Amino acid sequence: MAPSSTRICGVTYDAARRLYSGDVIYAGPEGLLQLRVSAPGVPGWSYERTLHALSEAGARRRAEAPR
């Protein structure tokens, strides 16, 4: 079942590694699932592009997580 809401917070950028990191939090009927994820990026990315990259990384981690 798809989560009822998704939130991304605590986004940081590591310029030396060109890596965005943040917490992706899924809230649904099964409760909360918080994942710390990273995604490659560049400092010139728009806010929306950064959130999209972290959201995709979160979706991949969620699919890999044991249930």
Side-chain angles (χ1 to χ4, degrees):
M1 174 179 272
S4 58
S5 68
T6 303
R7 170 178 244 165
I8 298 174
C9 59
V11 176
T12 60
Y13 182 70
D14 181 340
R17 297 186 313 153
R18 299 177 59 103
L19 202 64
Y20 283 99
S21 297
D23 295 313
V24 180
I25 303 168
Y26 297 100
E30 65 279 353
L32 293 176
L33 174 63
Q34 181 172 347
L35 301 171
R36 183 77 178 160
V37 297
S38 297
V42 294
W45 275 4
S46 69
Y47 185 69
E48 291 81 14
R49 178 64 185 107
T50 301
L51 293 181
H52 180 75
L54 290 174
S55 179
E56 287 179 339
R60 284 191 300 274
R61 280 278 304 282
R62 187 169 188 255
E64 296 168 356
R67 300 195 191 271

